[in-house]
Amino acid sequence: MAKLHLITYGCQMNEYDSERVAGLLRERSWELTADEAEADLILVNTCAIREKAEDKVFSKLGELRLLKAQRPDLIIGVMGCMAQLHQGAIQRRAPVVDLVFGSPAIARVGELVDRVRRDRRSVLETGEGPLVKITARPSSAGRLKAFVTVMEGCEKHCTFCVVPRTRGRERSHSPATIVDEVERLAADGCREVTLLGQTVNAYGRDLTPATDLGELFALVNEVDGIARIRFTTSNPYNLTPKLIRAMRDVPKVCEYFHLPLQSGSNRVLERMNRGYTRERYLELVAEIRDAVPTMAFSTDLIVGFPGETEADFEQTLEMVERVGYDNVFVFRYSRRPGTPAAGMADQVSEDVKARRNTQLLETATRVGAERSRRLAGQTVEVLVDGTSKKSPGELAGRTRCNRVVNFDGQGSVSLGDLTPIRITEALPHSLRGTLASQPEEAACLSK
Ligand code: SAH
Ligand code: F3S
């Protein structure tokens, strides 16, 4: 059997796409290998969101050139967002690449690879394609947690973002195909699904009949075996009262909400073309906490967007305190080709971005730690998904609010179980706990 090695950069959607590619190629007798040195085909799934992500890919392609020098038959392919954005320029900069294809062409990966092998010349495929739900998965896919892409593309025009160009128009998959995929995952032992889309809370509006994410939650909630539903990424602009009700009412939907803010300054939000103000965002947070008091929030923030002043930045810091995020992802603004913000005159220096990045992370870490401490002493539901990184004798899992908990399973719980854990200690990056149904506690309760 010929061997395939996959290298994946970027977001969860890329991880999902890589799995599809592995599954599709498996149907054509390609076997996955973890060792790039023994591969006949290496596919690099790429991310174009920031320049740093692209630099990583080109440096990896530089390494692969050495491998190919030893093994001239090796085929090297670049797929995903960089492929879509830069097209032929990739092969010009890295001639080692034999195959370039964007996400619309994933369904035809087998045919594209065959073409390279047969014709012995490079192939470039970055056209738009029909929307297909690929259900193929690699054989090793039996696992506790899985991503499920529910919609492709993005039609927002955030002035910093390249995604609408790399991932095309917004298109939702039908509820039936999604439920079918979740049922198959559940049959293979999957316990948690994360529904993916660039603006996942706009799911379904392009379908006939139109539907929405709340209705999809209800359908996925019915799938036996699935214990938890997560979803990402939501855009504040598209958040509806109906979705907030669904988050409250659909039992398997977890109390963790990733709601990118990007900036705390109205002036910057407007220049980003995000379509909401800080006041509107705070109003939404209040409505959600009103419906689901235990909701944990996470967010994405950009520092050093063109024209961002010290006063704008301070408003971002203030929003982190006000919302009380559990988790914050901070990005330094990166100029992306073809986006409106790349042409804005008042670009911020890298030094200033670096300083704001550090300062924002300090605030976010402190706020996140305060949120974590609130859990001490509480008993929470944990989905057991592995062993503790530090002490392999112990089990690890996540709370519904997505925090890692390490605990001694005492031989009585297994992977995939939902188990009540009493949190004994809140550390900066994880929690420690004990089984809440330990005999001595049970005794206490029966007094
Ligand atoms: N659809 C998602 C965003 C996907 S990109 C949403 O609406 O939020 C993931 C994150 O990368 C964004 O939320 C943003 O914070 C960051 N990002 C996107 N473009 C960027 C750029 N040019 N420079 C720095 N960060 C960027
Ligand atoms: Fe990008 Fe904005 Fe869409 S951040 S992915 S253009 S919602």
Side-chain angles (χ1 to χ4, degrees), residues 243-262:
L243 183 66
I244 297 176
R245 283 197 298 276
M247 286 192 271
R248 180 193 63 193
D249 296 339
V250 181
K252 292 178 185 172
V253 174
C254 291
E255 293 76 22
Y256 182 85
F257 195 12
H258 185 64
L259 192 61
L261 170 66
Q262 311 299 1

Side-chain angles (χ1 to χ4, degrees), residues 154 156-158 160-161 163-164 198-199 235 262 274:
C154 179
K156 293 266 190 299
H157 297 278
C158 302
F160 52 82
C161 185
V163 170
Q198 292 297 345
T199 308
N235 191 303
Q262 311 299 1
R274 289 287 292 180

Side-chain angles (χ1 to χ4, degrees), residues 25-282:
L25 289 175
R26 189 163 75 106
E27 288 168 2
R28 294 193 176 221
S29 301
W30 287 90
E31 181 188 21
L32 260 185
T33 171
D35 179 5
E36 65 185 25
E38 66 164 27
D40 304 289
L41 167 64
I42 297 179
L43 289 176
V44 187
N45 194 355
T46 59
C47 171
I49 199 81
R50 284 168 293 272
E51 197 174 350
K52 220 163 90 190
E54 296 193 346
D55 292 345
K56 270 195 222 157
V57 169
F58 280 115
S59 101
K60 186 70 205 176
L61 291 173
E63 278 174 35
L64 295 179
R65 191 164 56 95
L66 304 177
L67 199 60
K68 185 146 170 161
Q70 293 160 14
R71 306 191 37 216
D73 285 343
L74 171 66
I75 299 176
I76 295 176
V78 168
M79 59 180 279
C81 291
M82 274 174 76
Q84 202 66 30
L85 186 66
H86 299 299
Q87 312 202 354
I90 297 207
Q91 281 155 316
R92 284 198 292 281
R93 179 159 165 197
V96 68
V97 173
D98 304 289
L99 169 64
V100 173
F101 61 101
S103 46
I106 286 177
R108 290 183 289 121
V109 59
E111 173 203 322
L112 296 172
V113 170
D114 283 352
R115 231 199 296 161
V116 178
R117 286 177 118 190
R118 193 185 55 230
D119 302 347
R120 292 267 130 223
R121 60 185 183 85
S122 64
V123 167
L124 172 68
E125 184 58 73
T126 52
E128 279 273 323
L131 180 67
V132 247
K133 187 88 183 133
I134 308 164
T135 50
R137 287 186 299 129
S139 58
S140 58
R143 70 175 78 105
L144 296 171
K145 300 183 195 179
F147 299 125
V148 175
T149 293
V150 303
M151 62 195 294
E152 315 277 345
C154 179
E155 271 167 44
K156 293 266 190 299
H157 297 278
C158 302
T159 53
F160 52 82
C161 185
V162 82
V163 170
R165 283 184 66 198
T166 60
R167 291 219 165 239
R169 284 184 18 249
E170 180 184 306
R171 285 147 302 157
S172 301
H173 291 286
S174 74
T177 55
I178 294 164
V179 169
D180 184 57
E181 182 168 350
V182 175
E183 280 171 348
R184 285 173 202 224
L185 286 164
D188 282 350
C190 177
R191 304 282 281 145
E192 175 181 302
V193 286
T194 302
L195 309 178
L196 299 179
Q198 292 297 345
T199 308
V200 74
N201 54 325
Y203 171 77
R205 60 181 176 173
D206 55 317
L207 294 173
T208 330
T211 177
D212 60 49
L213 188 62
E215 286 176 18
L216 185 64
F217 284 164
L219 294 174
V220 174
N221 194 70
E222 294 305 303
V223 178
D224 283 342
I226 296 297
R228 288 181 172 181
I229 302 170
R230 299 185 187 278
F231 58 103
T232 200
T233 293
S234 298
N235 191 303
Y237 179 80
N238 298 91
L239 191 50
T240 61
K242 188 172 174 201
L243 183 66
I244 297 176
R245 283 197 298 276
M247 286 192 271
R248 180 193 63 193
D249 296 339
V250 181
K252 292 178 185 172
V253 174
C254 291
E255 293 76 22
Y256 182 85
F257 195 12
H258 185 64
L259 192 61
L261 170 66
Q262 311 299 1
S263 169
S265 151
N266 283 341
R267 208 177 61 85
V268 176
L269 286 172
E270 176 148 12
R271 282 162 61 93
M272 288 177 163
N273 192 31
R274 289 287 292 180
Y276 53 86
T277 59
R278 58 187 273 128
E279 292 76 21
R280 173 71 187 138
Y281 187 98
L282 286 169

Side-chain angles (χ1 to χ4, degrees), residues 192-436:
E192 175 181 302
V193 286
T194 302
L195 309 178
L196 299 179
Q198 292 297 345
T199 308
V200 74
N201 54 325
Y203 171 77
R205 60 181 176 173
D206 55 317
L207 294 173
T208 330
T211 177
D212 60 49
L213 188 62
E215 286 176 18
L216 185 64
F217 284 164
L219 294 174
V220 174
N221 194 70
E222 294 305 303
V223 178
D224 283 342
I226 296 297
R228 288 181 172 181
I229 302 170
R230 299 185 187 278
F231 58 103
T232 200
T233 293
S234 298
N235 191 303
Y237 179 80
N238 298 91
L239 191 50
T240 61
K242 188 172 174 201
L243 183 66
I244 297 176
R245 283 197 298 276
M247 286 192 271
R248 180 193 63 193
D249 296 339
V250 181
K252 292 178 185 172
V253 174
C254 291
E255 293 76 22
Y256 182 85
F257 195 12
H258 185 64
L259 192 61
L261 170 66
Q262 311 299 1
S263 169
S265 151
N266 283 341
R267 208 177 61 85
V268 176
L269 286 172
E270 176 148 12
R271 282 162 61 93
M272 288 177 163
N273 192 31
R274 289 287 292 180
Y276 53 86
T277 59
R278 58 187 273 128
E279 292 76 21
R280 173 71 187 138
Y281 187 98
L282 286 169
E283 209 174 272
L284 289 169
V285 168
E287 279 170 34
I288 296 160
R289 285 221 162 106
D290 205 29
V292 188
T294 54
M295 186 66 82
F297 286 90
S298 66
T299 201
D300 291 344
L301 294 168
I302 294 178
V303 291
F305 183 80
E308 185 189 65
T309 62
E310 216 44 43
D312 292 321
F313 173 63
E314 273 164 24
Q315 298 215 298
T316 300
L317 288 173
E318 197 218 359
M319 281 294 275
V320 172
E321 307 266 2
R322 288 201 32 191
V323 176
Y325 291 108
D326 269 56
N327 202 1
V328 173
F329 300 88
V330 180
F331 304 105
R332 298 177 205 191
Y333 169 71
S334 167
R335 271 171 118 156
R336 300 288 62 217
T339 58
M344 291 182 184
D346 35 6
Q347 300 287 324
V348 173
S349 76
E350 289 307 314
D351 286 356
V352 170
K353 286 181 200 169
R355 181 179 48 75
R356 291 182 185 164
N357 185 66
T358 309
Q359 206 181 335
L360 185 50
L361 280 176
E362 276 167 15
T363 302
T365 306
R366 177 173 45 76
V367 168
E370 282 161 21
R371 292 276 313 168
S372 175
R373 277 196 293 276
R374 292 173 168 215
L375 291 171
Q378 292 190 31
T379 296
V380 294
E381 177 201 277
V382 169
L383 173 62
V384 187
D385 62 8
T387 50
S388 156
K389 278 200 193 121
K390 289 214 183 102
S391 44
E394 289 195 334
L395 290 173
R398 287 202 185 240
T399 63
R400 286 172 65 96
C401 63
N402 213 23
R403 289 197 178 264
V404 173
V405 186
N406 295 306
F407 62 98
D408 180 353
Q410 310 201 341
S412 66
V413 281
S414 344
L415 292 186
D417 286 353
L418 285 179
T419 184
I421 298 286
R422 195 169 62 81
I423 302 303
T424 52
E425 201 180 348
L427 302 164
H429 298 290
S430 63
L431 302 165
R432 289 202 50 76
T434 53
L435 290 178

